[in-house]
Amino acid sequence: MIPDDAAIEARAQALYEQHSTDVAMRTDRMFGMLIVAEWVVGICVALTLTPFSWHGHVASISPQMWAAVVPGSVLVIGALTTLLLRPGTRLSRHVIAIAQMGFGTLFIHLTGGRMETHFHIFGSLAFLAFYRDWPVLITGTVVALFGNVARGLFWPDATGALTALTTARVFEYAGWMSFEDVFLIASCVRGQTEMRAIARRVAQLEHASNLEALMEAAEESNRSKSEFLANMSHEIRTPMTAIQGYADLLMEPDTTESDRLEYVQTIRRNGEHLLRLINDILDLSKIEAGKMTVEHISCSPASVLVDVASLMRVRALDKALQFDVVYETDVPTTIQSDPTRLRQIVVNLVGNAIKFTERGGVRIAVRCERSDSADPRLRIEIADTGIGMTEEQIGVLFTAFSQADTSTTRRFGGTGLGLAICRKLAGLLGGEVTVQSTPGQGTSFFLDIATGPLDGVQMLTGYSEAGFQVEASPASDARHVDARVLLAEDGRDNQILITTHLRKAGAHVTMCENGRLAVQAALLANAGGTPYDVILMDMQMPELDGYGATRMLRTQGYKGPIIALTAHAMAGDREKCLAAGCDDYLTKPIDRATLVEAILRWHTPAPGQDASADVSDASEDEDEEMAELRADFAQRLPVIAGELDTAMDAGDEVQVRHIAHQLKGAAGGYGYPALSAVAHRVEEAARHGHDVAAAARTLLKAIREAR
Amino acid sequence: MGRSLWIMALVCGWLGVVGIGFGAMVNWENTPGEQGSPPARWPEASRIARTGRATLVIAAHEHCPCTLATLREISKVLRRSPDADVDVWAVIDGSEPSEVADAAAEFPWLHVLRDRDAAELRLFDGLTSGEVSLYGADGALRYHGGVTGSRGREGANPGAAALLSAILKHDGPRAAPVYGCAIQGGA
């Protein structure tokens, strides 16, 4: 039996039992009233026909009168007690059958054996069939026959129904009762069969109804995802349109230098937006797949808030909104949490607050709660004076792919993923995100997270946001990297980009084009007593890839830090790299700040060196150099397109895939995230055995249009 | 004792009480009354006038509810012997209005004699209501006893069958138990 059938059978059985109990209870109640009425009628009949017996002139209450009162009452009491204590049970049915037949017998005697009162016996059997439980009929029949048999046995000359109560008459009487019983039993069995059939049909209908509900839910989910895709399409198309439009403008020969810079910045900004969108989707898919892991490291919540405030204040001021950060209690200097995810949540909540507030302001209030308990919490409240929400809107707020309503999407944009991600991330941090809102007055989001044990942790008192701003670490972009870095990267464009970023930060970079050369270079430097401070290892290279090279180095006893560079941003990639022996993991496209931050994590400047020194004027130079690099890359695009075209014509799928891989890693870094995404699709098509040629043609078109 | 045994015991006890009550009633219904010894020949001292036909004398208690069944059974016997020449007399004790006297008036073939001083009942030695004595045209006792199978119950019974036989075959004497209230006794 398949599970569905088993479930239907189980439900049908439950329905049948319920129906049977209902029938039994209903019939019990009917007989309860009938038996009381029969008791009253019996007494009235006795009073009318045989109230007294006489002995000469002395009258006494007749035994029939006594029988109507005493055994009649006993019958009623027994039946009603059972109905009260065990209603709807087999016991009650059989007691009722006995009582009912008892009254039949009583009536026959009270009326002097009138033929008509024998109909009570036959009628009662028919009534008992209401229970649809044939054994009850047997009990009733036995009781009725017992009276006849006993009289025939003890008083063989007694009159039965109009004739002498001989053995033959007793059998005849039993025969007629059995005759009726046969039909009534058949009726009971058929009734039960029909009840079972009805129960099964109802169970099937319920099952079908449940399936329909599931189908509706699935369709609703599908609709929701379709809406989401439509939004996503809009979200992606908008920056893409800007990128293409400004790229076209860049190609205009009479573009001035300042316009060119502005166009490039616009393109970059839109590219970053697209990247954020893709990151959101990846985050959500990771969380939903249960693959998202969070760190529990020592971090400063105040520093995170200072970062967020410095980032978001500009946006608030752009809308002329008040922006405050308030510390309502002492807060711990450090907590055990994931600063990156904490920052992500707060940025999202504050971003929403600013987005939905036109007047008034946004206020971040921080407090430490239950600091003396075993489970201390940090509460961050983000309150705004924006449009607020109704209860209905709040109900769907944290659902992935949903926003307060679709008009919100049209008016304010967004993917509808942010709050779903926030809530899930907060859960991973041992807390939750809750919301209170009044339409037209504003909204307060509450982020509660676990801080970990606070024993021995210093509490900061009487400080302000400004104090942390002073203490805040300098932006990584401007930090100095005094390190010898070995870069293992086969893609020319990435080589140039990463090398430029590192050299601008002050690092000395040695480059090699595959894993084997990287292993040789690293071991040679070690042997020469001038080891590299950090190795940046691309994980996908010809001859020997990054995984193999890293494993080989670790096997040779290489202890230095190795940071993986990979274009794969899927769940599990980080673990795969770490398993190969890497210490850290960066995804392409490489962001300079992230790159510098990662190097500094693994290479602490020697004492006396100031990580933030000598780069105060770097930013302007860098912009110029980056602009040159991007221009170089743009000029190389026709060459790359030609190589791709040739490889496609030759049917060289390996080369096509290689070009796509290189482009995927490099294009994002040079400000072409869309190109990177299209290149990624070529790789994916090759990996999954899909139509590589079609994907490659799209890439070729994208390269030509990107030019 | 387990719960189900308790229930079983209670049900049995309940059935026992009901059974005893019903048993007492049925026993009373089926216990014959005392029968007298009527004279073997028609007593000349009787106030009942003889017409040269057979005479059936019914002894009746003026309040006994069982007696009605006796009258109905005799009515059936008479219907089954339409050619019989029988005068039927109900000798009812007392002289006050009574249910039995009223019922007797409804049978057209029945002569009623209110026996104020019970002299007639003593003459025929009627002790139980419903006790009948059939005397042939020749004055000989042909049947003596009851004509119901139990108290107040109509229907085929040995007494009625014996009476019918005595009427049709002019034989006898025959006898059967009688069921009804005691006519004599008490205060």
Side-chain angles (χ1 to χ4, degrees), chain A residues 656-698:
Chain A
V656 169
R657 194 169 166 180
H658 176 72
I659 292 169
H661 178 72
Q662 298 294 342
L663 205 52
K664 181 181 72 174
Y670 285 110
Y672 291 85
L675 202 53
S676 178
V678 177
H680 175 63
R681 282 210 293 275
V682 176
E683 265 200 309
E684 286 297 297
R687 184 179 304 165
H688 297 298
H690 297 158
D691 189 355
V692 177
R697 279 195 296 277
T698 309

Side-chain angles (χ1 to χ4, degrees), chain A residues 85-166:
Chain A
L85 299 180
R86 307 285 292 267
T89 61
R90 185 171 297 167
L91 176 69
S92 74
R93 292 198 281 281
H94 287 271
V95 167
I96 287 285
I98 293 168
Q100 182 63 16
M101 289 307 182
F103 273 108
T105 304
L106 181 64
F107 286 160
I108 288 170
H109 285 274
L110 293 181
T111 58
R114 282 172 66 90
M115 186 66 206
E116 290 79 358
T117 47
H118 285 77
F119 293 140
H120 182 279
I121 295 288
F122 292 93
S124 295
L125 280 177
F127 281 167
L128 289 172
F130 283 13
Y131 281 116
R132 303 184 198 184
D133 183 20
W134 64 265
V136 173
L137 298 172
I138 303 300
T139 298
T141 303
V142 166
V143 169
L145 285 177
F146 177 79
N148 266 340
V149 170
R151 283 184 67 223
L153 200 64
F154 292 107
W155 298 282
D157 290 337
T159 302
L162 302 182
T163 61
L165 196 60
T166 60

Side-chain angles (χ1 to χ4, degrees), chain B residues 57-125:
Chain B
V57 179
I58 307 165
H61 189 291
E62 61 180 336
H63 297 301
C64 176
C66 322
T67 309
L68 193 59
T70 297
L71 296 178
R72 286 180 181 149
E73 281 303 312
I74 291 172
S75 184
K76 290 177 198 166
V77 168
L78 293 177
R79 278 204 298 276
R80 294 172 70 182
S81 54
D83 298 331
D85 286 336
V86 182
D87 292 329
V88 184
W89 283 83
V91 181
I92 304 171
D93 70 332
S95 58
E96 294 175 4
S98 76
E99 309 89 309
V100 174
D102 291 345
E106 293 176 10
F107 296 93
W109 42 264
L110 183 63
H111 305 284
V112 175
L113 174 66
R114 294 306 303 261
D115 191 18
R116 185 178 305 167
D117 53 1
E120 207 65 22
L121 288 170
R122 275 194 298 278
L123 195 62
F124 288 96
D125 201 18

